[in-house]
Amino acid sequence: MSTGTIVITGASAGLGAEMARQFAALGYDLALCARRTERLDALAEEIRAATGRRVETAALDVTDADAVPAVFAGFAERFGTIDRVVVNAGLGKGAPLGTGRADANRETAMTNFVGALAQTEAALEIFRRQGRGHLVLISSMSALRGMRKSMTTYAATKAGVAAIAEGLRSERIPGLDVSVVYPGYIRSEMNEHVTQKTRFMVDTPTGVRAMVAAIEARRAKAYVPAWPWVPIGVLMRVLPLSAVRKLT
């Protein structure tokens, strides 16, 4: 028997793909979407074989304003109901502002914030109609303060994602749970260029287990993994910028 149905965007690799594996192992059916459909379909076959869960896929570029609601509505029609949407699709491109790479910063902003807004709109249409649902937005520890150089735009988009979550919680929509997850250093395709010696980096399955546990608990806000990111999160909120700079 299914535990429910979860939509995960950006599910073809990294944290999204591992969340799909772990949620399927818990008994959920999955609606997976991403731009890279070959990888997405291979993941779906892997999960079906390993768990026997129902897995549906769709191609989706979250910056396509018309495609997002159409894909989400299609999933809702195929499954009959959507219990949870994980707004996960994201980019890590970026460069210091004013250094000639406005294109990279704009692409990250469009995917991470404007795309997240489109996914949230589409999810809320479904949840309002159903009278229930769980919206999960994947932010980042970098969202807690302004970040320097190539991280400036990325951190700003993730702060925006967290603000969307807080605004919806403030609205107190009947039947709606909203969670925002702030991952710390979890090894993924997005950060594969980062040195293996980065402090506090954990492997993908370990990090995603912490994310899935927080999501399953429907926590409003979660820094994951809890150690060391809960205390670091507290420090990042109160330390002067000169000290925050040394943490990143």
Side-chain angles (χ1 to χ4, degrees), residues 147-235:
M147 296 288 119
R148 60 195 173 108
K149 297 186 177 180
S150 60
M151 287 290 291
T152 299
T153 299
Y154 177 83
T157 65
K158 291 301 186 177
V161 165
I164 291 173
E166 187 169 49
L168 287 171
R169 284 200 303 274
S170 179
E171 192 174 340
R172 301 177 69 182
I173 300 167
L176 178 68
D177 291 324
V178 182
S179 300
V180 58
V181 180
Y182 298 82
Y185 295 148
I186 301 173
R187 181 65 61 187
S188 71
E189 189 174 278
M190 187 182 293
N191 60 33
E192 62 186 359
H193 63 284
V194 176
T195 175
Q196 294 287 338
K197 295 181 180 180
T198 298
R199 289 181 301 166
F200 310 132
M201 182 77 76
V202 298
D203 62 87
T204 305
T206 298
V208 170
R209 271 194 295 275
M211 295 174 67
V212 166
I215 293 167
E216 281 288 272
R218 295 179 179 250
R219 291 177 55 190
K221 180 172 70 174
Y223 301 152
V224 294
W227 177 259
W229 297 105
V230 169
I232 288 178
V234 172
L235 290 173

Side-chain angles (χ1 to χ4, degrees), residues 66-79:
D66 295 325
V68 175
V71 168
F72 280 32
F75 281 142
E77 183 176 354
R78 278 187 271 175
F79 282 97

